[in-house]
Amino acid sequence: VRGPETAPKIIHLGSGDSTIPQDFWRKGYKDQLCVDFSSVVVETMSQRESETGGINWKQADVREMDLILSESVDIAFDKGTLDAMIHGSPWDPPDDVLDNTGRYIREVFRVLKSDASFIYITYRQPHFIKPLLECGGVDWDIQVDTVGGADGSFDYYGFVLKKLSPPFAASTERKTQKVDSG
């Protein structure tokens, strides 16, 4: 997606007490924001990582990240947050799942720069997840890779969603309108 030499701004969505921000930091990524719903987690991790420059912690609801400017993030990372919002039938998700996941995905889309990427790791099957990722108000180029699942364990999937820039999205919309109009 982007190497550390490009100094990307990374946001960890629902970071909890994950060690992933520290792993990224050791690889050279020095501009990271970790957001979590829990004030206890944010306070604990802020204290634990107070000596580590370049990793900041903020309390936020990922469905409404008013504290983050629009188009200010290069990479968004999720390993479990979207999954925590999903329950019920994967063939016909309940309305609250559609509402919560839609609000979340639109917020991620909002904070990402026009050429930025959203990296999402999940064990859920891509054919069930893609409709949630392609909710109204977003335009992604989606790539999916199997990133785990050996020795009889469940597969994990890595989604890389590249935010399409408005000019491309507008040209795609015009193409669709031309096709629809005759």
Side-chain angles (χ1 to χ4, degrees), residues 1-2 73-76 111-118 140 161-164:
V1 173
R2 293 196 178 166
V73 174
D74 297 297
I75 300 169
V111 302
L112 288 174
K113 293 177 182 175
S114 63
D115 62 342
S117 297
F118 175 31
W140 306 108
L161 295 85
K162 181 144 175 94
K163 182 177 180 179
L164 296 178

Side-chain angles (χ1 to χ4, degrees), residues 1-2 8-25 27 29 31-36 57 62 65 68 73-83 85 104-105 107-109 111-113 116-122 133 140 147 156-161:
V1 173
R2 293 196 178 166
K9 172 76 168 181
I10 299 173
I11 184 170
H12 297 271
L13 301 154
S15 54
D17 63 354
S18 171
T19 61
I20 291 172
Q22 294 78 14
D23 296 339
F24 282 13
W25 188 87
K27 295 208 177 280
Y29 294 95
D31 189 5
Q32 300 182 66
L33 175 61
C34 302
V35 296
D36 198 275
W57 297 82
V62 295
M65 297 183 283
I68 301 169
V73 174
D74 297 297
I75 300 169
F77 185 82
D78 175 337
K79 186 182 146 297
T81 300
L82 181 64
D83 291 344
M85 295 179 196
Y104 172 49
I105 296 302
E107 264 305 89
V108 172
F109 192 83
V111 302
L112 288 174
K113 293 177 182 175
S117 297
F118 175 31
I119 300 170
Y120 167 53
I121 309 296
T122 184
L133 297 172
W140 306 108
V147 294
Y156 275 79
Y157 302 94
F159 286 76
V160 177
L161 295 85

Side-chain angles (χ1 to χ4, degrees), residues 105 109 114 133-142 161-173:
I105 296 302
F109 192 83
S114 63
L133 297 172
E134 294 172 329
C135 62
V138 301
D139 196 8
W140 306 108
D141 175 32
I142 301 176
L161 295 85
K162 181 144 175 94
K163 182 177 180 179
L164 296 178
S165 63
F168 181 77
S171 69
T172 302
E173 186 176 306

Side-chain angles (χ1 to χ4, degrees), residues 33-182:
L33 175 61
C34 302
V35 296
D36 198 275
F37 190 75
S38 169
S39 61
V40 174
V41 165
V42 169
E43 185 175 329
T44 300
M45 295 306 291
S46 293
Q47 290 173 0
R48 185 181 300 167
E49 298 299 325
S50 63
E51 306 275 326
T52 307
I55 303 176
N56 296 300
W57 297 82
K58 299 281 183 194
Q59 181 182 5
D61 181 339
V62 295
R63 298 165 301 171
E64 192 173 330
M65 297 183 283
D66 295 338
L67 63 110
I68 301 169
L69 296 173
S70 295
E71 298 190 4
S72 63
V73 174
D74 297 297
I75 300 169
F77 185 82
D78 175 337
K79 186 182 146 297
T81 300
L82 181 64
D83 291 344
M85 295 179 196
I86 301 170
H87 64 86
S89 170
W91 289 276
D92 186 22
D95 288 342
D96 67 312
V97 170
L98 297 173
D99 177 57
N100 285 320
T101 60
R103 288 175 51 207
Y104 172 49
I105 296 302
R106 283 186 289 277
E107 264 305 89
V108 172
F109 192 83
R110 180 188 67 79
V111 302
L112 288 174
K113 293 177 182 175
S114 63
D115 62 342
S117 297
F118 175 31
I119 300 170
Y120 167 53
I121 309 296
T122 184
Y123 66 91
R124 296 180 186 273
Q125 294 291 311
H127 59 278
F128 292 129
I129 290 300
K130 279 186 178 181
L132 298 176
L133 297 172
E134 294 172 329
C135 62
V138 301
D139 196 8
W140 306 108
D141 175 32
I142 301 176
Q143 306 273 328
V144 184
D145 288 312
T146 303
V147 294
D151 301 326
S153 68
F154 288 112
D155 286 338
Y156 275 79
Y157 302 94
F159 286 76
V160 177
L161 295 85
K162 181 144 175 94
K163 182 177 180 179
L164 296 178
S165 63
F168 181 77
S171 69
T172 302
E173 186 176 306
R174 280 193 299 275
K175 285 181 191 173
T176 303
Q177 289 173 349
K178 286 180 184 177
V179 170
D180 291 343
S181 63

